[in-house]
Amino acid sequence: MPSSDKTFIGSPHVDVRSVEEASVAVFGAPHGTPYETGKVSHCADAPVAIRAASQGDAERRDHYDFDGDDLLCGGNSLQLVDCGDGPGAPDTPEKNRDLIAQWTTTLLDKGAIPVMIGGDDSVPIPFVSAFASAGPIWVVQVDAHLDWRDERHGEKLGWSSPMRRMSEMAHVEGIVQVGLRGVGTARLEEVEAAREWGAILVPAHDVHSGSTED
């Protein structure tokens, strides 16, 4: 669990089971579904790094946030808490997925907006699956990669498959993918599958040229 000076933007630490009056609840997911069970993810330290990077704004918690039209934290529109990291492990992928889904469901049931800080590209799968009772929803992905592989190395819940798995969730009504570039993870069959499903694909060069305004 993060200490009080290492929570996200210095927000109060509250156990996920005790979240009551919070509109936004942050939690970390260091572990997801690795392609090699037991191998620590290259993104396992991401929640710690994100919290560390947020400390520069911790002293500005009482400042006005023009994006939210209220105080950054503690105003009428935003009560922010940090629930710490889920206690997963690289050798327990199924438990990692269950934990992410359980924490997300718990926070939704308490009326909070869950904000998960991961973690590799596999952790959004159980996170989005937990929104079934809150749907329909749209998913907006900002990433260089398409992530529509049906499977890789025999694993259907790994880094290359989150958008494909989300497309199979009944509560996911639409998908927008922004920033696609390079050769990444997509073959022609994945691009065709994404377009056939109806995903809106916005390559990075369109973003840079400003052609998305239409």
Side-chain angles (χ1 to χ4, degrees):
M1 298 298 179
S3 61
S4 59
D5 62 339
K6 293 183 180 179
T7 58
F8 186 71
I9 318 183
S11 56
H13 172 244
V14 178
D15 186 278
V16 68
R17 295 163 296 185
S18 302
V19 171
E20 293 181 359
E21 296 181 2
S23 54
V24 178
V26 174
F27 73 93
H31 305 287
T33 306
Y35 284 119
E36 183 180 337
T37 300
K39 184 176 181 179
V40 178
S41 170
H42 59 291
C43 295
D45 293 331
V48 172
I50 292 170
R51 289 189 179 97
S54 77
Q55 297 309 303
D57 285 324
E59 63 182 22
R60 303 183 181 93
R61 287 173 51 81
D62 61 345
H63 286 208
Y64 197 90
D65 175 17
F66 285 96
D67 292 328
D69 198 27
D70 205 334
L71 299 182
L72 176 61
C73 300
N76 294 328
S77 65
L78 179 59
Q79 300 293 332
L80 177 69
V81 300
D82 190 330
C83 298
D85 292 348
D91 57 349
T92 59
E94 185 174 358
K95 289 183 179 179
N96 298 338
R97 295 191 296 268
D98 288 346
L99 179 67
I100 291 169
Q102 289 169 9
W103 277 34
T104 306
T105 299
T106 296
L107 294 172
L108 286 170
D109 288 346
K110 290 177 175 291
I113 298 174
V115 175
M116 180 182 66
I117 51 177
D120 60 49
D121 292 51
S122 69
V123 298
I125 299 175
F127 179 73
V128 173
S129 71
F131 280 78
S133 62
I137 65 171
W138 277 65
V139 176
V140 178
Q141 178 202 37
V142 181
D143 197 337
H145 300 152
L146 190 67
D147 292 343
W148 271 77
R149 290 287 289 265
D150 185 46
E151 62 83 25
R152 190 161 183 249
H153 304 309
E155 177 59 68
K156 298 174 76 71
L157 299 171
W159 309 342
S160 298
S161 305
M163 307 313 288
R164 185 64 166 259
R165 298 288 82 83
M166 291 177 201
S167 75
E168 298 166 347
M169 300 176 189
H171 61 288
V172 175
E173 187 174 72
I175 293 174
V176 181
Q177 298 180 250
V178 181
L180 301 164
R181 61 180 173 81
V183 294
T185 59
R187 302 167 299 185
L188 178 60
E189 60 196 88
E190 280 82 47
V191 176
E192 291 178 338
R195 287 175 172 162
E196 181 178 356
W197 186 85
I200 299 172
L201 309 183
V202 185
H205 60 73
D206 284 356
V207 177
H208 296 159
S209 67
S211 61
T212 58
E213 293 180 1
D214 296 334

